[in-house]
Amino acid sequence: MKEGISGKAIYRKDYTAYPWDVNRLDLHFEIGSETTVVRAQMEFQLKDGTKSPQAIVLNGSDLQLVSITLNDRVLSGEEYIIEGETLTIPDAPQNCVLRTEVKIHPASNSALEGLYLSGQFLLTQCEAQGFRKITWFPDRPDVMTTYRVTLEADQSEFPVLLSNGNLVDAGELTGGRHWVRWEDPFPKPTYLFALVAGDLALVEDHFTTRSGRDVVLRIYVEAENLDRCEHAMESLVNAMRWDEERFDLEYDLDIYHIVATNDFNMGAMENKSLNIFNSKYVLARPDTATDADYQGIEGVIGHEYFHNWTGNRVTCQDWFQLTLKEGLTVFRDEEFSADMQSRAVKRIRDVRDLRSRQFPEDDGPMAHPIRPDHYVEINNFYTATVYQKGATIIRMYHTLLGEDGFQKGMKLYFERHDGQAVTCDDFLAAMADANGVNLDRFSLWYSQSGTPQVHVSDHYDAATQRYTLKLKQHTPPTHEQKSKQALVLPFALGLLAANGDELPLQFEAEADAATGTRLLIVEEAEQEFIFINIPEAPVPSLFRDYSAPVKVFFDYSPEQLATLIAHDSDAFVRWDAAQRMAEDAILKQCLAHAQGLEMTLDPSLVRAFKGILSDQQADPALLAEAMTLPDEDYLADQMDVVDVDGIHAARKFIKKGLAVELVSLLTARFAKLNDGQPYQKSATAMARRSLKSICLSYLLETSAGESLAATQLESSDNMTDTLAAIKGLILMDSPLAATALSEFESRWKADALVMDKWFIMQAIKPGRKTVDTVRKLMDHPAFSIQNPNKVRSLIGVFSMLNPTGFHTADGSGYTFHADRVIELDGLNPQIAARMASAFNRWKRYDESRKALMKAELQRIAAVDNLSGDVAEIVNNALR
Ligand code: BES
Ligand code: ZN
């Protein structure tokens, strides 16, 4: 039975080592779009100390077996067993050579896993378990071997033939065919295998490593995209240099290839020396890509490059350990981007992302620890928890041990485990041993799910000048794990005087006071910290730089928040204080709205935002973050029963109110930023554009906005300004929006990536009519349900980023979406499962919406032959 179809869970505790070493894998591909013939030869050797005889168990899926031989003898049908996705040879000799030949059919592979067709070229995606769709083999990450790959194809149809490692030989054949042979000297698991075959153009550059190795860098794209690779190449060179400087890690081969495809389930993939990227994370030109796209490319190029050490050289023992490579590599890419751009802005964006994507996961039916204990379909566990929360846990090691201690740990990790497939425990042990510390209690972060809540209270005693801070931590139960324990929390603290000065901190036992942030450790369910010689009741600046991934509760007065916003030395705390103030204001008005009361604007919020906007010293990108109101989903998470329309109305009311109050400041700031200078890619220019865009979005709430947006659209020389203007016109329901959209469409209709933006702008428009727009857009020639980027842009954005559209009271959004999940399930189960998760939080809505969503979930669950991917999501949601 297929793992997915049987719906059977796999448990981490059931791990057993594979009894065989595979010493070499020789692959031969006769490439064809309709049919590709794959011949594999592998050398099996029983592991030392394993009792014999042993069976050889291989994985395969949708393979048409042509022949199988063992030590040159053809096996008869009685000598092996194929059952579901496994092929078993019951008792095999201790040393043997297995040969297989299979046929596969790339052109009809719509799941985009294994070997498939994208436009005119063929490519592979093997993580996590796609290799089994290519040939019979132990498809698990702890079986590592060296690959020799020969690709044979028609020369004119497939002039470029790529695989991992070094090109060792090539030649021509009769009938217009040719072949190329690649060898990868590094043993690797199946999930890192890749091949690409087709007619691709390339951009080339070089990088000389610190030790003097010359590395050829090539980015392969379809010919029309050659002028959009510069930024990706620059990002790659920066990433290679950064990893040498910050982590002392050098690249280890002579070639580094990146291939861009429009048809990709994920963002990008780190195959050894042959990364494959969603074109969204490669292609950029100022007129086609926004600043956010540029930053995304830098981050993802970095991420996949950094996997070469954290993932490829040291890989995962099993898929439960996924965060070992992903959490660590996300931490590395976050640090890379922080070093390249603005550290503070990057940190704020990452925290926002964690709160809006990971916190809901912890609070829903798919809650799991960063290292899950079981799964049905591993593809469903490439989650914000494994990735983003995983990265915050790596960040906590860094906070606790410091940069030097952390790097010592990394060094020991590579010394011990280079070339191995290991576990999260091995990583923790390396960190602990390298620093001579005990991290046993810290390990709970790997096994406990849920978002800890920390309730902070304080007391100031003027007579003794003592200040007491009391912290209580508590993690609410998650659906799969009822009882929780106290976690180790790095607690970075500062105290401010009312005038904003930082107060020196001194414990009773200490002789001297120290100014600046103090790193404390919370380990117990309840803990108290007492500071002495505190001259006035201070404002606590809690969890600076977001030192632990927790929800912090403290009853700040508006004045205290204002002090933090205006004066705290920590950019994260300043931003967070502004978010809290805005959140409180919006939720209060939401309540008023629900009670039929008139909404009002709190003057303290206006004062705080006035202060932010008047700050001429601060990085404009930071100000832009501070002025961005919490999004509707984040606000929804703060309510017991989500009031979709109330949140929308209250947020809009506050935004408009601020805009009206601050209109002259906004106009002046916008005018100053709108300096008519030609586009520049620099971080400074991006920062200015980000503040300009947010100012415009406020101004669009006033009568001044429409003409500013129209002028910006007309004079724009870059996609960031263009999109800010059109989005604004759409949101305000301007009569100019329709023209703007149709001009955009006629200019970009042949450009897949830019058309994604055109779909997004329309799918995100609030209100009950959007479901009809989205339904109509599915018939647009640029839309294809087979293409994940299109599905994410239209269907995904509508269902996950447009609350008032999706949650329309009559349930039409739900029905539409469930139909798409069912349609997608037959084509691409991975994408279908991602889409199905839009219903995950159905229990948090009112009775009527709950009933409507539940009915749609049940309708999906009842589909015949539903994939294991979708079944796991909907069954969990219904449970
Ligand atoms: N290894 C993953 C890509 C992957 C995940 C392929 C799951 C197949 C199944 C890659 O390193 C990755 O994590 N990519 C991210 C982007 C990254 C910047 C977080 C992605 O694709 O979303
Ligand atoms: Zn990754």
Side-chain angles (χ1 to χ4, degrees), residues 756-872:
D756 288 343
K757 301 181 192 306
W758 187 78
F759 286 114
I760 291 171
M761 286 191 279
Q762 299 178 75
I764 208 164
K765 183 171 181 178
R768 59 182 177 79
K769 291 196 209 137
T770 303
V771 63
D772 298 322
T773 315
V774 171
R775 191 182 285 111
K776 280 198 206 94
L777 284 172
M778 287 188 61
D779 294 328
H780 191 278
F783 183 82
S784 161
I785 191 96
Q786 305 239 33
N787 178 270
N789 285 358
K790 291 288 167 297
V791 170
R792 280 185 283 256
S793 301
L794 191 62
I795 319 290
V797 164
F798 171 71
S799 62
M800 293 184 231
L801 297 175
N802 183 351
T804 55
F806 181 59
H807 295 286
T808 293
D810 64 5
S812 53
Y814 304 149
T815 307
F816 168 78
H817 191 65
D819 286 342
R820 300 292 78 74
V821 172
I822 293 167
E823 184 180 357
L824 279 163
D825 192 58
L827 296 166
N828 187 330
Q830 265 184 60
I831 299 295
R834 298 252 162 195
M835 293 297 127
S837 69
F839 290 114
N840 271 358
R841 310 253 293 152
W842 64 280
K843 288 182 182 158
R844 303 194 70 273
Y845 292 80
D846 53 81
E847 293 307 321
S848 155
R849 286 184 171 93
K850 261 199 240 179
L852 291 165
M853 279 190 267
K854 186 176 182 190
E856 297 301 342
L857 279 166
Q858 286 169 330
R859 184 160 69 90
I860 298 170
V863 166
D864 281 343
N865 292 318
L866 192 68
S867 71
D869 303 59
V870 172
E872 180 173 31

Side-chain angles (χ1 to χ4, degrees), residues 154-354:
D154 180 89
Q155 181 138 29
S156 60
E157 199 182 346
F158 301 103
V160 174
L161 297 172
L162 307 174
S163 190
N164 317 88
N166 303 312
L167 196 155
V168 292
D169 207 354
E172 294 194 354
L173 300 164
T174 53
R177 294 178 72 78
H178 70 145
W179 63 276
V180 176
R181 180 165 298 147
W182 296 86
E183 266 182 28
D184 182 354
F186 293 97
K188 64 170 174 285
T190 49
Y191 83 88
L192 291 173
F193 167 77
L195 88 74
V196 172
D199 189 1
L200 293 166
L202 70 98
V203 172
E204 187 172 298
D205 205 336
H206 286 258
F207 180 80
T208 309
T209 68
R210 212 165 39 179
S211 68
R213 180 199 281 274
D214 177 61
V215 186
V216 185
L217 313 176
R218 293 197 189 104
I219 300 181
Y220 286 89
V221 295
E222 285 159 308
E224 69 265 26
N225 293 323
L226 276 175
D227 63 347
R228 299 190 199 187
C229 300
E230 201 180 295
H231 178 64
M233 189 65 92
E234 199 180 309
S235 301
L236 176 58
V237 169
N238 287 339
M240 296 178 86
R241 189 176 311 117
W242 182 87
D243 217 13
E244 292 183 347
E245 288 171 359
R246 177 89 187 263
F247 276 80
D248 202 19
L249 294 172
E250 222 180 283
Y251 188 58
D252 54 10
L253 279 165
D254 302 330
I255 305 177
Y256 197 87
H257 285 165
I258 288 175
V259 176
T261 168
N262 288 329
D263 301 279
F264 205 64
N265 283 345
M266 300 288 290
M269 178 64 211
E270 70 264 28
N271 316 300
K272 185 83 185 183
S273 77
L274 179 52
N275 288 184
I276 295 179
F277 272 62
N278 188 323
S279 55
K280 174 177 163 52
Y281 292 114
V282 176
L283 305 179
R285 222 172 45 195
D287 59 331
T288 65
T290 62
D291 294 340
D293 294 329
Y294 274 78
Q295 285 156 356
I297 290 169
E298 179 176 78
V300 181
I301 293 260
H303 179 96
E304 306 312 336
Y305 175 73
F306 303 142
H307 268 315
N308 190 54
W309 280 95
T310 51
N312 301 4
R313 290 286 289 255
V314 182
T315 195
C316 301
Q317 173 197 269
D318 55 65
W319 291 118
F320 297 103
Q321 317 297 328
L322 183 59
T323 199
L324 175 75
K325 75 176 178 81
E326 294 301 349
L328 177 55
T329 305
V330 170
F331 170 74
R332 276 152 54 68
D333 84 53
E334 288 176 359
E335 283 296 295
F336 169 57
S337 294
D339 284 343
M340 293 292 120
Q341 310 267 329
S342 152
R343 174 161 289 272
V345 172
K346 176 66 180 153
R347 185 75 191 120
I348 287 166
R349 289 181 183 157
D350 291 338
V351 174
R352 197 202 297 282
D353 188 56
L354 183 83

Side-chain angles (χ1 to χ4, degrees), residues 697-715:
S697 84
Y698 276 93
L699 286 166
L700 280 156
E701 302 289 339
T702 74
S703 57
E706 191 175 25
S707 71
L708 292 176
T711 312
Q712 172 160 321
L713 181 56
E714 219 158 90
S715 61

Side-chain angles (χ1 to χ4, degrees), residues 369-514:
I370 65 163
R371 183 192 57 203
D373 290 315
H374 53 85
Y375 60 75
V376 177
E377 174 52 63
I378 183 58
N379 286 318
N380 287 331
F381 284 80
Y382 286 76
T383 58
T385 300
V386 167
Y387 275 67
Q388 275 70 37
K389 184 175 180 183
T392 69
I393 286 152
I394 302 295
R395 186 172 294 280
M396 285 193 284
Y397 285 105
H398 187 270
T399 305
L400 293 168
L401 303 171
E403 169 74 5
D404 285 353
F406 184 78
Q407 293 298 349
K408 268 197 243 165
M410 291 299 295
K411 191 157 174 266
L412 185 60
Y413 176 63
F414 292 122
E415 266 167 33
R416 284 182 177 171
H417 302 300
D418 189 10
Q420 299 175 4
V422 303
T423 66
C424 298
D425 296 334
D426 294 318
F427 183 83
L428 181 134
M431 283 288 156
D433 296 350
N435 288 280
V437 296
N438 185 320
L439 292 171
D440 293 355
R441 291 193 66 176
F442 186 80
S443 68
L444 187 60
W445 279 108
Y446 286 94
S447 55
Q448 184 164 291
S449 61
T451 310
Q453 300 186 352
V454 179
H455 288 265
V456 185
S457 55
D458 68 347
H459 174 72
Y460 178 66
D461 184 0
T464 57
Q465 302 213 328
R466 286 159 72 96
Y467 179 67
T468 309
L469 261 184
K470 192 167 171 181
L471 276 75
K472 283 191 189 177
Q473 63 159 309
H474 156 80
T475 304
T478 48
H479 78 97
E480 64 359 319
Q481 200 180 56
K482 295 300 167 222
S483 84
K484 306 284 181 182
Q485 298 162 46
L487 289 148
V488 179
L489 310 176
F491 174 45
L493 172 75
L495 297 179
L496 299 196
N499 70 358
D501 287 350
E502 184 113 20
L503 297 168
L505 305 189
Q506 185 178 9
F507 284 119
E508 210 152 31
E510 290 175 336
D512 297 305

